[in-house]
Structures are given as C-alpha cells and as structure tokens.
Amino acid sequence: MSVKVKGEKALVAELERRIGKMKAQQLSDKALKRGAQVFIKELKSQFASFKDTGASIEEMKISEPMWVAGVRTVKVYWRGPKSRYRIIHLNEFGTVQNPNPKGKGSIARAMRNAERAYREAIKRSIREGFNGCIRGDL
C-alpha cells in the first residue's frame, strides 16, 4: 500500500528552515512513533479475534526510527521467546494446506482501518511539536 502526498518535500524543507534540521528530525521521529502506536493498537485488536495463546500479540514490537532508502521509517516486527515472526506470514497469506486461516489478511485490514487515525496522530504530533519548538519546549 502506498500513498502519494503532494508538497511533502516543501513542508519538510520549510520545517527544517524554521526550526532546524535536527529538531525537525526529532519532531518527525516522535510523530512516527506516535503513529506506530496507533497502528499497533489496531493490529492487536485484529489479532485478538483469532488469538490462541496471545504470543503473536505479546511479541509485537516497534523499531526506533531509521533511514531506509532515504526515508525516515519505523518498522513493526515480531520478536520474542516464542519466535512468532516465523509464522506471521502464514496467518496473513495462508498456506497450500490451509489457504484460509482465521487471521488471513489481518495485517492488511489493520493497515486500512488505522490509516485515518495514523494520519491524525502524525498531524497532531507535528502540530504539537512545532508549537513546542516555537515556545522552546523541544
């Protein structure tokens, strides 16, 4: 799933001009983390519908912001003692033996359901952070 946002480069350039490159990155990192929390919340509710032991929900993690192909990114991944990362793709897409598992499409559904709330969290975080930069909070 991809989204085209027009004027993104101009917005980032204007933010960097007004508050500085480092503070702009701190602001975007904070916004990315907040948006990821919104997505994780929706993802956990989708996984709750077919949970057995709850290990897949417990092992959901959010990475620190990083640069991937020149874009600041936060990744959602699974890591823990029960190694659920090995079977997440099986629940999402099915297998030859079980083409329609209970959780089929849950990650894609969570992405669709959380899209609006994710965007709002990003906007709110940037707005709050920018206002904080003007006041000197950040």
Side-chain angles (χ1 to χ4, degrees):
M1 176 186 290
S2 65
V3 177
K4 179 100 172 153
V5 178
K6 294 183 180 179
E8 176 186 340
K9 289 181 182 177
L11 173 66
V12 171
E14 184 65 21
L15 276 173
E16 287 177 356
R17 186 184 70 73
R18 289 187 184 196
I19 63 175
K21 197 169 197 133
M22 196 63 169
K23 285 190 179 183
Q25 183 172 326
Q26 289 173 346
L27 181 61
S28 71
D29 289 353
K30 187 176 177 183
L32 283 171
K33 287 179 182 179
R34 187 180 280 184
Q37 288 295 334
V38 168
F39 174 68
I40 283 283
K41 183 178 176 187
E42 176 62 28
L43 190 58
K44 285 181 178 183
S45 72
Q46 289 295 327
F47 271 57
S49 66
F50 63 93
K51 92 174 183 179
D52 183 23
T53 63
S56 294
I57 294 172
E58 292 169 9
E59 292 187 2
M60 288 180 191
K61 306 278 188 252
I62 300 171
S63 74
E64 288 298 312
M66 65 184 98
W67 291 101
V68 175
V71 177
R72 204 68 178 153
T73 305
V74 173
K75 293 185 178 185
V76 173
Y77 63 100
W78 284 259
R79 186 69 65 209
K82 295 191 178 177
S83 300
R84 301 305 284 187
Y85 72 94
R86 296 177 192 272
I87 65 165
I88 295 301
H89 68 285
L90 300 176
N91 276 337
E92 184 66 10
F93 302 110
T95 63
V96 172
Q97 285 81 20
N98 185 8
N100 294 309
K102 287 182 181 178
K104 186 171 185 175
S106 58
I107 298 172
R109 205 169 27 256
M111 286 177 64
R112 273 194 316 273
N113 293 347
E115 187 174 0
R116 182 172 285 139
Y118 173 83
R119 289 177 188 268
E120 289 302 316
I122 295 287
K123 284 182 196 175
R124 188 173 46 254
S125 185
I126 289 174
R127 193 174 294 125
E128 289 170 4
F130 188 69
N131 289 336
C133 286
I134 292 171
R135 288 190 312 268
D137 296 344
L138 188 62

